[in-house]
mmCIF file of all heavy atoms in Angstrom:
data_model
loop_
_atom_site.group_PDB
_atom_site.id
_atom_site.type_symbol
_atom_site.label_atom_id
_atom_site.label_comp_id
_atom_site.label_asym_id
_atom_site.label_seq_id
_atom_site.Cartn_x
_atom_site.Cartn_y
_atom_site.Cartn_z
ATOM 1 N N ALA T 1 57.764 -6.345 -32.209
ATOM 2 C CA ALA T 1 59.188 -6.626 -32.112
ATOM 3 C C ALA T 1 59.951 -5.310 -32.136
ATOM 4 O O ALA T 1 59.420 -4.269 -32.555
ATOM 5 C CB ALA T 1 59.627 -7.519 -33.263
ATOM 6 N N VAL T 2 61.206 -5.342 -31.726
ATOM 7 C CA VAL T 2 62.003 -4.119 -31.673
ATOM 8 C C VAL T 2 62.100 -3.476 -33.055
ATOM 9 O O VAL T 2 62.065 -2.249 -33.191
ATOM 10 C CB VAL T 2 63.418 -4.420 -31.113
ATOM 11 C CG1 VAL T 2 64.315 -3.193 -31.223
ATOM 12 C CG2 VAL T 2 63.332 -4.871 -29.662
ATOM 13 N N GLU T 3 62.193 -4.304 -34.096
ATOM 14 C CA GLU T 3 62.306 -3.747 -35.454
ATOM 15 C C GLU T 3 61.010 -3.096 -35.942
ATOM 16 O O GLU T 3 61.008 -2.423 -36.981
ATOM 17 C CB GLU T 3 62.740 -4.826 -36.441
ATOM 18 C CG GLU T 3 61.859 -6.043 -36.483
ATOM 19 C CD GLU T 3 62.354 -7.141 -35.554
ATOM 20 O OE1 GLU T 3 63.057 -6.829 -34.558
ATOM 21 O OE2 GLU T 3 62.020 -8.317 -35.817
ATOM 22 N N ASP T 4 59.910 -3.285 -35.217
ATOM 23 C CA ASP T 4 58.635 -2.639 -35.576
ATOM 24 C C ASP T 4 58.539 -1.218 -35.040
ATOM 25 O O ASP T 4 57.580 -0.501 -35.365
ATOM 26 C CB ASP T 4 57.458 -3.436 -35.005
ATOM 27 C CG ASP T 4 57.341 -4.826 -35.591
ATOM 28 O OD1 ASP T 4 57.698 -4.988 -36.781
ATOM 29 O OD2 ASP T 4 56.908 -5.738 -34.871
ATOM 30 N N LEU T 5 59.494 -0.828 -34.218
ATOM 31 C CA LEU T 5 59.402 0.457 -33.517
ATOM 32 C C LEU T 5 60.054 1.586 -34.308
ATOM 33 O O LEU T 5 60.991 1.340 -35.078
ATOM 34 C CB LEU T 5 60.061 0.331 -32.141
ATOM 35 C CG LEU T 5 59.524 -0.802 -31.248
ATOM 36 C CD1 LEU T 5 60.260 -0.823 -29.921
ATOM 37 C CD2 LEU T 5 58.017 -0.655 -31.032
ATOM 38 N N PRO T 6 59.553 2.809 -34.100
ATOM 39 C CA PRO T 6 58.444 3.195 -33.213
ATOM 40 C C PRO T 6 57.093 2.748 -33.782
ATOM 41 O O PRO T 6 56.913 2.656 -34.991
ATOM 42 C CB PRO T 6 58.547 4.712 -33.162
ATOM 43 C CG PRO T 6 59.200 5.088 -34.449
ATOM 44 C CD PRO T 6 60.156 3.983 -34.771
ATOM 45 N N ALA T 7 56.179 2.505 -32.853
ATOM 46 C CA ALA T 7 54.834 2.073 -33.248
ATOM 47 C C ALA T 7 53.795 2.860 -32.463
ATOM 48 O O ALA T 7 54.015 3.211 -31.301
ATOM 49 C CB ALA T 7 54.653 0.581 -32.996
ATOM 50 N N LEU T 8 52.681 3.131 -33.111
ATOM 51 C CA LEU T 8 51.572 3.825 -32.463
ATOM 52 C C LEU T 8 50.440 2.828 -32.255
ATOM 53 O O LEU T 8 49.982 2.178 -33.204
ATOM 54 C CB LEU T 8 51.076 5.004 -33.303
ATOM 55 C CG LEU T 8 49.947 5.814 -32.661
ATOM 56 C CD1 LEU T 8 50.480 6.662 -31.507
ATOM 57 C CD2 LEU T 8 49.249 6.700 -33.683
ATOM 58 N N ILE T 9 50.008 2.692 -31.001
ATOM 59 C CA ILE T 9 48.869 1.840 -30.662
ATOM 60 C C ILE T 9 47.657 2.735 -30.509
ATOM 61 O O ILE T 9 47.642 3.645 -29.680
ATOM 62 C CB ILE T 9 49.135 1.059 -29.363
ATOM 63 C CG1 ILE T 9 50.433 0.259 -29.485
ATOM 64 C CG2 ILE T 9 47.969 0.142 -29.043
ATOM 65 C CD1 ILE T 9 50.918 -0.318 -28.173
ATOM 66 N N THR T 10 46.637 2.510 -31.312
ATOM 67 C CA THR T 10 45.471 3.385 -31.332
ATOM 68 C C THR T 10 44.458 2.948 -30.268
ATOM 69 O O THR T 10 44.523 1.818 -29.775
ATOM 70 C CB THR T 10 44.808 3.372 -32.717
ATOM 71 O OG1 THR T 10 44.306 2.055 -32.983
ATOM 72 C CG2 THR T 10 45.815 3.755 -33.796
ATOM 73 N N PRO T 11 43.504 3.806 -29.925
ATOM 74 C CA PRO T 11 42.514 3.454 -28.901
ATOM 75 C C PRO T 11 41.694 2.203 -29.216
ATOM 76 O O PRO T 11 41.205 1.541 -28.303
ATOM 77 C CB PRO T 11 41.622 4.699 -28.840
ATOM 78 C CG PRO T 11 42.512 5.816 -29.260
ATOM 79 C CD PRO T 11 43.395 5.222 -30.323
ATOM 80 N N ASP T 12 41.542 1.877 -30.498
ATOM 81 C CA ASP T 12 40.784 0.665 -30.851
ATOM 82 C C ASP T 12 41.701 -0.544 -31.038
ATOM 83 O O ASP T 12 41.328 -1.532 -31.656
ATOM 84 C CB ASP T 12 39.941 0.900 -32.105
ATOM 85 C CG ASP T 12 40.790 1.292 -33.306
ATOM 86 O OD1 ASP T 12 42.031 1.367 -33.172
ATOM 87 O OD2 ASP T 12 40.206 1.528 -34.381
ATOM 88 N N HIS T 13 42.935 -0.433 -30.496
ATOM 89 C CA HIS T 13 43.912 -1.514 -30.483
ATOM 90 C C HIS T 13 44.549 -1.769 -31.844
ATOM 91 O O HIS T 13 45.189 -2.812 -32.042
ATOM 92 C CB HIS T 13 43.319 -2.817 -29.930
ATOM 93 C CG HIS T 13 42.837 -2.701 -28.525
ATOM 94 N ND1 HIS T 13 41.945 -3.584 -27.946
ATOM 95 C CD2 HIS T 13 43.115 -1.794 -27.558
ATOM 96 C CE1 HIS T 13 41.697 -3.231 -26.704
ATOM 97 N NE2 HIS T 13 42.395 -2.135 -26.442
ATOM 98 N N GLY T 14 44.420 -0.841 -32.753
ATOM 99 C CA GLY T 14 45.163 -0.934 -33.997
ATOM 100 C C GLY T 14 46.633 -0.623 -33.741
ATOM 101 O O GLY T 14 46.978 0.079 -32.779
ATOM 102 N N VAL T 15 47.505 -1.125 -34.590
ATOM 103 C CA VAL T 15 48.943 -0.907 -34.428
ATOM 104 C C VAL T 15 49.514 -0.384 -35.741
ATOM 105 O O VAL T 15 49.369 -1.026 -36.794
ATOM 106 C CB VAL T 15 49.672 -2.203 -34.027
ATOM 107 C CG1 VAL T 15 51.173 -1.954 -33.910
ATOM 108 C CG2 VAL T 15 49.121 -2.745 -32.710
ATOM 109 N N LEU T 16 50.153 0.777 -35.681
ATOM 110 C CA LEU T 16 50.815 1.370 -36.842
ATOM 111 C C LEU T 16 52.315 1.260 -36.616
ATOM 112 O O LEU T 16 52.870 1.914 -35.736
ATOM 113 C CB LEU T 16 50.406 2.831 -37.018
ATOM 114 C CG LEU T 16 48.912 3.112 -37.155
ATOM 115 C CD1 LEU T 16 48.661 4.608 -37.274
ATOM 116 C CD2 LEU T 16 48.348 2.383 -38.360
ATOM 117 N N LYS T 17 52.981 0.433 -37.409
ATOM 118 C CA LYS T 17 54.406 0.181 -37.239
ATOM 119 C C LYS T 17 55.221 1.112 -38.135
ATOM 120 O O LYS T 17 55.027 1.131 -39.347
ATOM 121 C CB LYS T 17 54.726 -1.278 -37.574
ATOM 122 C CG LYS T 17 53.964 -2.286 -36.725
ATOM 123 C CD LYS T 17 54.218 -3.705 -37.200
ATOM 124 C CE LYS T 17 53.423 -4.707 -36.368
ATOM 125 N NZ LYS T 17 53.625 -6.104 -36.843
ATOM 126 N N ARG T 18 56.070 1.905 -37.508
ATOM 127 C CA ARG T 18 56.949 2.856 -38.209
ATOM 128 C C ARG T 18 56.159 3.628 -39.276
ATOM 129 O O ARG T 18 56.528 3.647 -40.456
ATOM 130 C CB ARG T 18 58.135 2.124 -38.831
ATOM 131 C CG ARG T 18 58.938 1.303 -37.825
ATOM 132 C CD ARG T 18 60.185 0.712 -38.430
ATOM 133 N NE ARG T 18 61.147 1.752 -38.771
ATOM 134 C CZ ARG T 18 62.333 1.517 -39.341
ATOM 135 N NH1 ARG T 18 62.676 0.266 -39.634
ATOM 136 N NH2 ARG T 18 63.143 2.505 -39.615
ATOM 137 N N PRO T 19 55.075 4.269 -38.874
ATOM 138 C CA PRO T 19 54.181 4.919 -39.849
ATOM 139 C C PRO T 19 54.762 6.199 -40.429
ATOM 140 O O PRO T 19 55.510 6.922 -39.765
ATOM 141 C CB PRO T 19 52.935 5.219 -39.015
ATOM 142 C CG PRO T 19 53.475 5.436 -37.627
ATOM 143 C CD PRO T 19 54.606 4.446 -37.484
ATOM 144 N N SER T 20 54.399 6.472 -41.665
ATOM 145 C CA SER T 20 54.691 7.764 -42.280
ATOM 146 C C SER T 20 53.637 8.770 -41.842
ATOM 147 O O SER T 20 52.615 8.402 -41.252
ATOM 148 C CB SER T 20 54.678 7.634 -43.801
ATOM 149 O OG SER T 20 53.352 7.337 -44.252
ATOM 150 N N ASN T 21 53.873 10.039 -42.153
ATOM 151 C CA ASN T 21 52.862 11.063 -41.839
ATOM 152 C C ASN T 21 51.552 10.786 -42.566
ATOM 153 O O ASN T 21 50.468 10.991 -42.014
ATOM 154 C CB ASN T 21 53.388 12.455 -42.206
ATOM 155 C CG ASN T 21 54.471 12.941 -41.258
ATOM 156 O OD1 ASN T 21 54.725 12.317 -40.220
ATOM 157 N ND2 ASN T 21 55.105 14.037 -41.607
ATOM 158 N N GLU T 22 51.643 10.312 -43.803
ATOM 159 C CA GLU T 22 50.422 9.990 -44.552
ATOM 160 C C GLU T 22 49.671 8.842 -43.885
ATOM 161 O O GLU T 22 48.440 8.873 -43.781
ATOM 162 C CB GLU T 22 50.766 9.641 -46.007
ATOM 163 C CG GLU T 22 51.146 10.846 -46.857
ATOM 164 C CD GLU T 22 51.148 10.523 -48.337
ATOM 165 O OE1 GLU T 22 50.656 9.441 -48.712
ATOM 166 O OE2 GLU T 22 51.638 11.356 -49.122
ATOM 167 N N ASP T 23 50.416 7.834 -43.425
ATOM 168 C CA ASP T 23 49.775 6.718 -42.723
ATOM 169 C C ASP T 23 49.047 7.209 -41.479
ATOM 170 O O ASP T 23 47.902 6.825 -41.210
ATOM 171 C CB ASP T 23 50.815 5.674 -42.310
ATOM 172 C CG ASP T 23 51.464 4.972 -43.493
ATOM 173 O OD1 ASP T 23 50.826 4.921 -44.559
ATOM 174 O OD2 ASP T 23 52.605 4.503 -43.340
ATOM 175 N N LEU T 24 49.718 8.051 -40.698
ATOM 176 C CA LEU T 24 49.135 8.570 -39.466
ATOM 177 C C LEU T 24 47.866 9.356 -39.764
ATOM 178 O O LEU T 24 46.840 9.184 -39.107
ATOM 179 C CB LEU T 24 50.146 9.454 -38.734
ATOM 180 C CG LEU T 24 51.360 8.745 -38.137
ATOM 181 C CD1 LEU T 24 52.424 9.767 -37.750
ATOM 182 C CD2 LEU T 24 50.950 7.921 -36.917
ATOM 183 N N ALA T 25 47.960 10.245 -40.749
ATOM 184 C CA ALA T 25 46.809 11.086 -41.072
ATOM 185 C C ALA T 25 45.620 10.253 -41.539
ATOM 186 O O ALA T 25 44.471 10.524 -41.164
ATOM 187 C CB ALA T 25 47.199 12.109 -42.135
ATOM 188 N N GLU T 26 45.883 9.229 -42.340
ATOM 189 C CA GLU T 26 44.801 8.378 -42.842
ATOM 190 C C GLU T 26 44.176 7.571 -41.715
ATOM 191 O O GLU T 26 42.951 7.532 -41.553
ATOM 192 C CB GLU T 26 45.346 7.429 -43.917
ATOM 193 C CG GLU T 26 45.702 8.102 -45.229
ATOM 194 C CD GLU T 26 44.510 8.330 -46.130
ATOM 195 O OE1 GLU T 26 43.377 8.012 -45.710
ATOM 196 O OE2 GLU T 26 44.710 8.826 -47.257
ATOM 197 N N GLU T 27 44.988 6.901 -40.919
ATOM 198 C CA GLU T 27 44.488 5.983 -39.910
ATOM 199 C C GLU T 27 43.845 6.690 -38.724
ATOM 200 O O GLU T 27 42.936 6.144 -38.088
ATOM 201 C CB GLU T 27 45.630 5.076 -39.421
ATOM 202 C CG GLU T 27 46.174 4.136 -40.481
ATOM 203 C CD GLU T 27 45.127 3.154 -40.974
ATOM 204 O OE1 GLU T 27 44.282 2.720 -40.168
ATOM 205 O OE2 GLU T 27 45.158 2.820 -42.174
ATOM 206 N N LEU T 28 44.314 7.884 -38.409
ATOM 207 C CA LEU T 28 43.790 8.609 -37.250
ATOM 208 C C LEU T 28 42.686 9.590 -37.622
ATOM 209 O O LEU T 28 42.171 10.296 -36.753
ATOM 210 C CB LEU T 28 44.930 9.354 -36.548
ATOM 211 C CG LEU T 28 46.083 8.478 -36.045
ATOM 212 C CD1 LEU T 28 47.163 9.336 -35.412
ATOM 213 C CD2 LEU T 28 45.581 7.422 -35.069
ATOM 214 N N GLY T 29 42.330 9.634 -38.882
ATOM 215 C CA GLY T 29 41.237 10.518 -39.304
ATOM 216 C C GLY T 29 41.625 11.979 -39.372
ATOM 217 O O GLY T 29 40.758 12.855 -39.305
ATOM 218 N N LEU T 30 42.941 12.272 -39.515
ATOM 219 C CA LEU T 30 43.391 13.665 -39.606
ATOM 220 C C LEU T 30 43.293 14.198 -41.038
ATOM 221 O O LEU T 30 43.276 15.404 -41.245
ATOM 222 C CB LEU T 30 44.846 13.783 -39.132
ATOM 223 C CG LEU T 30 45.148 13.346 -37.703
ATOM 224 C CD1 LEU T 30 46.647 13.423 -37.435
ATOM 225 C CD2 LEU T 30 44.384 14.208 -36.711
ATOM 226 N N PHE T 31 43.261 13.296 -42.011
ATOM 227 C CA PHE T 31 43.292 13.694 -43.413
ATOM 228 C C PHE T 31 41.888 13.952 -43.941
ATOM 229 O O PHE T 31 40.993 13.124 -43.779
ATOM 230 C CB PHE T 31 43.960 12.601 -44.243
ATOM 231 C CG PHE T 31 43.955 12.869 -45.721
ATOM 232 C CD1 PHE T 31 44.650 13.947 -46.245
ATOM 233 C CD2 PHE T 31 43.253 12.047 -46.586
ATOM 234 C CE1 PHE T 31 44.650 14.197 -47.608
ATOM 235 C CE2 PHE T 31 43.244 12.285 -47.947
ATOM 236 C CZ PHE T 31 43.944 13.364 -48.455
ATOM 237 N N GLU T 32 41.716 15.104 -44.543
ATOM 238 C CA GLU T 32 40.468 15.442 -45.240
ATOM 239 C C GLU T 32 40.771 15.544 -46.728
ATOM 240 O O GLU T 32 41.461 16.469 -47.161
ATOM 241 C CB GLU T 32 39.916 16.766 -44.733
ATOM 242 C CG GLU T 32 39.432 16.752 -43.306
ATOM 243 C CD GLU T 32 38.815 18.079 -42.919
ATOM 244 O OE1 GLU T 32 37.642 18.308 -43.257
ATOM 245 O OE2 GLU T 32 39.513 18.887 -42.304
ATOM 246 N N ALA T 33 40.298 14.606 -47.489
ATOM 247 C CA ALA T 33 40.594 14.571 -48.920
ATOM 248 C C ALA T 33 39.872 15.701 -49.649
ATOM 249 O O ALA T 33 38.788 16.128 -49.245
ATOM 250 C CB ALA T 33 40.162 13.229 -49.505
ATOM 251 N N PRO T 34 40.452 16.198 -50.730
ATOM 252 C CA PRO T 34 39.731 17.162 -51.576
ATOM 253 C C PRO T 34 38.451 16.522 -52.111
ATOM 254 O O PRO T 34 38.373 15.302 -52.271
ATOM 255 C CB PRO T 34 40.721 17.442 -52.705
ATOM 256 C CG PRO T 34 42.054 17.026 -52.177
ATOM 257 C CD PRO T 34 41.801 15.903 -51.238
ATOM 258 N N GLU T 35 37.458 17.341 -52.376
ATOM 259 C CA GLU T 35 36.199 16.822 -52.907
ATOM 260 C C GLU T 35 36.422 16.268 -54.314
ATOM 261 O O GLU T 35 37.046 16.914 -55.165
ATOM 262 C CB GLU T 35 35.149 17.939 -52.955
ATOM 263 C CG GLU T 35 34.736 18.453 -51.597
ATOM 264 C CD GLU T 35 33.712 19.567 -51.713
ATOM 265 O OE1 GLU T 35 32.870 19.482 -52.633
ATOM 266 O OE2 GLU T 35 33.767 20.515 -50.918
ATOM 267 N N ASP T 36 35.890 15.094 -54.553
ATOM 268 C CA ASP T 36 36.027 14.471 -55.870
ATOM 269 C C ASP T 36 35.345 15.318 -56.935
ATOM 270 O O ASP T 36 34.181 15.705 -56.796
ATOM 271 C CB ASP T 36 35.407 13.065 -55.867
ATOM 272 C CG ASP T 36 36.217 12.073 -55.049
ATOM 273 O OD1 ASP T 36 37.422 12.310 -54.864
ATOM 274 O OD2 ASP T 36 35.628 11.072 -54.595
ATOM 275 N N GLY T 37 36.068 15.593 -57.995
ATOM 276 C CA GLY T 37 35.497 16.305 -59.132
ATOM 277 C C GLY T 37 35.272 17.785 -58.925
ATOM 278 O O GLY T 37 34.760 18.467 -59.831
ATOM 279 N N ALA T 38 35.645 18.321 -57.773
ATOM 280 C CA ALA T 38 35.394 19.740 -57.492
ATOM 281 C C ALA T 38 36.395 20.624 -58.232
ATOM 282 O O ALA T 38 37.551 20.244 -58.440
ATOM 283 C CB ALA T 38 35.486 20.004 -55.993
ATOM 284 N N VAL T 39 35.930 21.792 -58.620
ATOM 285 C CA VAL T 39 36.816 22.843 -59.123
ATOM 286 C C VAL T 39 36.794 23.958 -58.083
ATOM 287 O O VAL T 39 35.767 24.609 -57.877
ATOM 288 C CB VAL T 39 36.372 23.372 -60.498
ATOM 289 C CG1 VAL T 39 37.281 24.518 -60.936
ATOM 290 C CG2 VAL T 39 36.382 22.258 -61.535
ATOM 291 N N TYR T 40 37.901 24.153 -57.421
ATOM 292 C CA TYR T 40 37.971 25.155 -56.357
ATOM 293 C C TYR T 40 38.174 26.544 -56.950
ATOM 294 O O TYR T 40 38.765 26.704 -58.032
ATOM 295 C CB TYR T 40 39.115 24.825 -55.399
ATOM 296 C CG TYR T 40 38.810 23.636 -54.507
ATOM 297 C CD1 TYR T 40 39.140 22.341 -54.904
ATOM 298 C CD2 TYR T 40 38.171 23.808 -53.297
ATOM 299 C CE1 TYR T 40 38.841 21.252 -54.108
ATOM 300 C CE2 TYR T 40 37.869 22.721 -52.484
ATOM 301 C CZ TYR T 40 38.202 21.450 -52.898
ATOM 302 O OH TYR T 40 37.903 20.378 -52.108
ATOM 303 N N ASP T 41 37.682 27.546 -56.233
ATOM 304 C CA ASP T 41 37.973 28.926 -56.631
ATOM 305 C C ASP T 41 39.445 29.237 -56.404
ATOM 306 O O ASP T 41 40.085 29.894 -57.218
ATOM 307 C CB ASP T 41 37.114 29.917 -55.830
ATOM 308 C CG ASP T 41 35.644 29.821 -56.179
ATOM 309 O OD1 ASP T 41 35.337 29.656 -57.374
ATOM 310 O OD2 ASP T 41 34.805 29.896 -55.260
ATOM 311 N N VAL T 42 39.971 28.749 -55.268
ATOM 312 C CA VAL T 42 41.382 28.979 -54.967
ATOM 313 C C VAL T 42 41.912 27.807 -54.146
ATOM 314 O O VAL T 42 41.245 27.316 -53.234
ATOM 315 C CB VAL T 42 41.599 30.311 -54.216
ATOM 316 C CG1 VAL T 42 40.812 30.368 -52.915
ATOM 317 C CG2 VAL T 42 43.078 30.559 -53.951
ATOM 318 N N VAL T 43 43.097 27.363 -54.508
ATOM 319 C CA VAL T 43 43.824 26.381 -53.711
ATOM 320 C C VAL T 43 45.058 27.068 -53.147
ATOM 321 O O VAL T 43 45.845 27.665 -53.901
ATOM 322 C CB VAL T 43 44.219 25.140 -54.533
ATOM 323 C CG1 VAL T 43 45.155 24.241 -53.728
ATOM 324 C CG2 VAL T 43 42.983 24.369 -54.955
ATOM 325 N N VAL T 44 45.192 27.009 -51.852
ATOM 326 C CA VAL T 44 46.331 27.612 -51.157
ATOM 327 C C VAL T 44 47.318 26.500 -50.849
ATOM 328 O O VAL T 44 46.975 25.525 -50.174
ATOM 329 C CB VAL T 44 45.877 28.311 -49.856
ATOM 330 C CG1 VAL T 44 47.077 28.954 -49.158
ATOM 331 C CG2 VAL T 44 44.805 29.343 -50.140
ATOM 332 N N LEU T 45 48.535 26.649 -51.311
ATOM 333 C CA LEU T 45 49.555 25.627 -51.130
ATOM 334 C C LEU T 45 50.475 26.046 -49.993
ATOM 335 O O LEU T 45 51.318 26.917 -50.146
ATOM 336 C CB LEU T 45 50.339 25.433 -52.426
ATOM 337 C CG LEU T 45 49.461 25.072 -53.634
ATOM 338 C CD1 LEU T 45 50.289 25.016 -54.911
ATOM 339 C CD2 LEU T 45 48.745 23.749 -53.404
ATOM 340 N N GLY T 46 50.253 25.449 -48.827
ATOM 341 C CA GLY T 46 51.015 25.790 -47.633
ATOM 342 C C GLY T 46 50.131 26.425 -46.586
ATOM 343 O O GLY T 46 49.330 27.312 -46.889
ATOM 344 N N ALA T 47 50.265 25.956 -45.327
ATOM 345 C CA ALA T 47 49.425 26.473 -44.241
ATOM 346 C C ALA T 47 50.255 27.156 -43.169
ATOM 347 O O ALA T 47 50.013 26.997 -41.981
ATOM 348 C CB ALA T 47 48.593 25.342 -43.625
ATOM 349 N N GLY T 48 51.248 27.925 -43.609
ATOM 350 C CA GLY T 48 51.944 28.809 -42.690
ATOM 351 C C GLY T 48 51.097 30.051 -42.453
ATOM 352 O O GLY T 48 49.933 30.114 -42.872
#
């Protein structure tokens, strides 16, 4: 419906209605979660 827009239709016919960036990253496989329980040597905040 018009109120569902903008919407992203994925190649496997999934539909993301008015998605947030987090929704997009999760559903499209763009998000790589931190390793569970890991202690990093350095965490860099910002990718400029």
